[in-house]
């Protein structure tokens, strides 16, 4: 990945046009070459280069374009009817153009030489606006899925496009990565600039990514007041992640592009270099008004884990973990439990518990609630089965099952919040809204579960370390 630096336009011009082939002059190659590969060995008899069909791999020894047309139209058994229709339409278009302009320098379409292929009724031609819109959508498809630009010239891609809309002729790779991309960049840049002029409280976040070559890449995302997020730029530091001073310098340049007075908060991933760089930025004159914001997603996960480690929650989870582990450790116990679940019509199984993952804890407790009656019935039918006394006491405790059921209700919104904020598209606004909903859920759960007031919402549990 190339260094993007602080100028987004410079990055686009260097990284996205580096593979554009140079124009060596002369007439452009015929459209038909999209469906053929030019072989290197010259045919001595015809003094022409052979061409290999990308559909059926047949080699046309005399690679003149009219021979390639004939192969696709009449010989190739794999090219679809839409591809054949497209080739014939291009030939008809060329003949029509030559008829209007009088240009017919090398060839004349003599009667019987290239009879029209049988094809479906011609589709409604698309106008220039529709063509541009489809080209832009195709561009976004390639970029957002990290596909190479020359994929658009693949016969399979063309076949797919023509199947959806036969009258659409996709822009070539060269046009997509120059004209179409530049136009879209300028539109996005203009929209960003117009929005920026109206904003006065931007949220800026700095993420650490990895390039395809595993080099560190720092990315700057800007969140507007309506929750929309723009990628302002990215910077690669080859060889190492750079010092905190290096990263701070990059961040300052990005903030200057926005206007420091428009930035309300700065957040980063909780990584040593980034954290230190964030502190350096907000302590620099001209940037001191910016709120130093710790990574809210990271803080949320740590806060929830701290809550799970508090009493009496920890004791409840440990007992549930002990019960699930005991059944998993004994094949006989697992078999007896499975028999009871089947007899009771319970379509579930007891899941193990990873105490370091909120989602795993939640799933384990849910499985216990579902298997409650099967566990009780199994212990009643097999009273002599060697079972840990603590497990037996929990299984026979009404309050244990009641607390487990209520705590599952508590963990449901927590699990949703954790999973929701792990998304790549999560913004600072999303995290704050989830925190507010989570606080209400915790308060309601405390009251319903009759837990000591403040036990789950103890302020220390939500302190980011």
């Amino acid at each position: 990945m190339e260094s993007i630096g602080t100028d987004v336009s410079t990055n686009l011009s260097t990284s996205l046009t580096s593979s554009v082939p140079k124009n060596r002059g002369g007439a452009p190659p015929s459209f038909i070459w999209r469906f053929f590969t030019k072989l290197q060995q010259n045919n001595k008899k015809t003094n022409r280069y052979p061409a290999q069909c990308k559909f059926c791999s047949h080699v046309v020894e005399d690679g003149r374009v009219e021979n390639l047309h004939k192969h696709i139209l009449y010989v190739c058994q794999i090219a679809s009817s839409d591809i054949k229709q497209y080739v014939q339409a291009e030939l008809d278009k060329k003949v029509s153009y030559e008829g209007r302009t009088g240009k017919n320098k090398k060839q004349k379409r003599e009667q019987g030489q290239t009879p029209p292929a049988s094809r479906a009724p011609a589709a409604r031609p698309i106008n220039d606006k529709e063509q541009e819109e489809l080209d832009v959508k195709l561009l976004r498809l390639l970029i957002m899925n990290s596909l190479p630009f020359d994929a658009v010239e693949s016969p399979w891609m063309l076949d797919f496009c023509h199947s959806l809309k036969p009258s659409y002729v996709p822009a070539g790779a060269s046009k997509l990565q120059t004209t179409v991309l530049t136009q879209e960049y300028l539109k996005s840049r203009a929209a960003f600039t117009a929005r920026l002029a109206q904003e006065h409280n931007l949220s800026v976040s700095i993420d650490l990514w990895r390039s395809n070559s595993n080099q560190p890449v720092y990315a700057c995302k800007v969140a507007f007041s309506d929750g929309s997020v723009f990628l302002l730029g990215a910077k690669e530091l080859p060889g190492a992640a750079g010092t905190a001073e290096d990263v701070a310098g990059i961040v300052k340049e990005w903030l200057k592009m926005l206007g420091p007075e428009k930035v309300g908060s700065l957040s980063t991933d909780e990584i040593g270099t980034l954290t230190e760089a964030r502190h350096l930025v907000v302590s620099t004159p001209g940037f001191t008004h910016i709120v130093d914001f710790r990574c809210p997603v990271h803080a949320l996960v740590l806060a929830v884990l701290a809550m799970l480690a508090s009493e009496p929650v920890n004791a409840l989870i440990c007992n549930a973990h002990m019960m699930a582990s005991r059944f998993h450790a004994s094949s006989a116990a697992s078999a007896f439990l499975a028999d009871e679940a089947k007899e009771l019509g319970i379509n579930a199984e007891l899941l193990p518990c990873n105490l370091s993952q909120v989602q795993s804890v939640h799933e384990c407790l849910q499985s216990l609630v579902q298997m409650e009656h099967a566990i009780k019935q199994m212990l009643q039918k097999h009273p002599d089965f060697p079972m840990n006394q603590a497990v037996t006491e929990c299984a026979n405790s009404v309050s244990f099952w009641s607390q487990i059921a209520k705590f599952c209700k508590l963990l449901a919104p927590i699990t949703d919040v954790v999973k929701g904020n792990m998304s790549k598209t999560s913004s600072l606004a999303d995290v704050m809204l989830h925190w507010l909903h989570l606080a209400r859920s915790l308060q309601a759960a405390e009251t319903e579960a009759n837990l000591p007031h403040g036990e789950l919402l103890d302020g220390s549990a939500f302190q980011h370390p």
Side-chain angles (χ1 to χ4, degrees):
M1 178 173 179
E2 293 192 36
S3 175
I4 295 179
T6 57
D7 190 345
V8 180
S9 61
T10 301
N11 169 60
L12 287 172
S13 63
T14 56
S15 63
L16 295 177
T17 63
S18 59
S19 61
V20 179
K22 301 295 183 181
N23 185 4
R24 299 180 179 178
S30 170
F31 73 93
I32 197 65
W33 282 103
R34 292 184 179 184
F35 310 122
F36 290 87
T37 300
K38 185 176 181 181
L39 302 181
Q40 297 300 318
Q41 187 174 2
N42 195 354
N43 189 319
K44 295 180 180 180
K45 294 182 179 180
T46 62
N47 198 29
R48 300 277 184 177
Y49 285 95
Q52 185 175 37
C53 177
K54 293 182 178 180
F55 292 108
C56 65
S57 299
H58 175 77
V59 176
V60 181
E61 294 295 340
D62 186 349
R64 287 180 293 182
V65 292
E66 56 266 29
N67 293 332
L68 306 185
H69 296 155
K70 293 177 182 179
H71 174 79
I72 292 295
L73 291 173
Y74 313 119
V75 178
C76 185
Q77 300 296 318
I78 298 181
S80 69
S81 59
D82 288 327
I83 288 291
K84 294 178 185 290
Q85 178 182 343
Y86 165 68
V87 172
Q88 186 63 57
E90 288 296 309
L91 290 176
D92 292 343
K93 190 187 302 181
K94 179 180 179 182
V95 172
S96 175
Y97 172 75
E98 291 174 348
R100 294 195 310 270
T101 62
K103 294 183 178 180
N104 191 7
K105 298 180 180 179
K106 292 187 177 180
Q107 301 176 12
K108 288 187 178 180
R109 189 179 177 187
E110 299 177 359
Q111 186 174 3
Q113 181 178 352
T114 52
S118 59
R119 58 184 186 269
R124 179 186 67 83
I126 61 176
N127 55 41
D128 292 342
K129 182 178 179 181
E130 290 176 311
Q131 176 77 31
E132 291 176 2
E133 291 175 348
L134 291 172
D135 285 343
V136 169
K137 291 180 179 180
L138 182 59
L139 173 71
R140 292 173 179 170
L141 169 68
L142 297 177
I143 292 177
M144 299 309 294
N145 291 281
S146 301
L147 298 174
F149 282 100
D150 57 7
V152 73
E153 296 181 350
S154 162
W156 309 110
M157 174 69 83
L158 292 171
D159 188 21
F160 176 72
C161 291
H162 294 314
S163 297
L164 296 179
K165 200 171 188 67
S167 55
Y168 170 54
V169 180
S174 177
K175 182 179 179 181
L176 278 178
Q177 61 185 324
T178 53
T179 306
V180 181
L181 178 60
T182 301
Q183 290 174 349
E184 278 305 291
Y185 166 71
L186 292 176
K187 288 179 184 178
S188 299
R189 185 75 175 180
F192 178 82
T193 303
R195 291 282 307 278
L196 185 61
Q198 302 174 1
E199 291 286 338
H200 302 284
N201 190 21
L202 300 171
S203 297
V204 177
S205 61
I206 309 298
D207 290 337
L208 178 60
W209 296 346
R210 289 285 173 179
S211 67
N212 291 336
S213 57
N214 201 34
Q215 295 296 325
V217 178
Y218 294 99
C220 178
K221 294 187 291 185
V222 182
F224 287 88
S225 55
D226 63 353
S228 58
V229 180
F230 286 81
L231 176 63
L232 181 63
K235 177 72 175 180
E236 180 179 340
L237 295 179
T243 65
E245 290 75 12
D246 294 334
V247 179
I250 297 171
V251 175
K252 289 176 187 178
E253 289 298 323
W254 279 325
L255 296 180
K256 289 176 182 177
M257 291 176 64
L258 297 170
E261 70 282 357
K262 294 180 176 291
V263 180
S265 65
L266 174 65
S267 61
T268 67
D269 281 339
E270 287 304 310
I271 300 174
T273 303
L274 271 176
T275 302
E276 187 178 350
R278 187 181 71 233
H279 296 331
L280 290 174
V281 171
V282 299
S283 62
T284 303
F287 301 94
T288 54
H289 66 284
I290 299 176
V291 177
D292 182 352
F293 224 111
R294 296 177 183 271
C295 172
V297 176
H298 185 62
L300 176 62
V301 174
L302 292 178
V304 172
L305 290 176
M307 181 202 71
L308 296 181
S310 63
E311 293 292 343
V313 176
N314 184 53
L316 183 66
I317 294 176
C318 286
N319 286 334
H321 174 62
M322 174 182 61
M323 181 177 292
S325 299
R326 180 66 186 89
F327 278 98
H328 276 278
S330 171
S331 57
S334 297
F336 287 145
L337 184 61
D339 291 340
E340 299 304 326
K342 184 177 181 180
E343 181 179 325
L344 294 171
I346 299 174
N347 186 22
E349 61 177 336
L350 200 56
L351 299 177
C353 177
N354 185 340
L355 296 177
S356 64
Q357 296 183 4
V358 178
Q359 187 175 353
S360 176
V361 172
H362 184 209
E363 291 173 349
C364 175
L365 296 185
Q366 277 187 316
S367 69
L368 276 173
V369 171
Q370 293 173 318
M371 298 291 286
E372 175 186 355
H373 298 298
I375 292 174
K376 290 179 177 178
Q377 186 164 302
M378 177 262 181
L379 293 177
Q380 290 175 356
K381 287 186 176 181
H382 305 278
D384 297 330
F385 187 85
M387 184 66 69
N388 185 295
Q389 184 178 356
V391 172
T392 304
E393 291 177 355
C394 287
N396 294 324
S397 171
V398 176
S399 62
F400 171 78
W401 294 109
S402 175
Q403 292 288 341
I404 289 290
K406 292 177 180 178
F407 196 62
C408 274
K409 294 181 180 180
L410 166 70
L411 283 182
I414 293 177
T415 303
D416 292 340
V417 168
V418 172
K419 289 192 297 185
N421 286 299
M422 286 303 178
S423 169
K424 291 183 179 180
T425 59
S426 294
S427 65
L428 184 61
D430 296 327
V431 177
M432 292 299 104
L433 288 174
H434 279 132
W435 270 78
L436 293 175
H437 290 307
L438 178 59
R440 293 177 181 175
S441 299
L442 292 175
Q443 289 174 339
E446 276 189 321
T447 303
E448 182 179 356
N450 296 320
L451 294 172
H453 180 67
E455 193 68 49
L456 295 180
L457 288 177
D458 178 30
S460 62
F462 283 80
Q463 293 294 323
H464 190 286

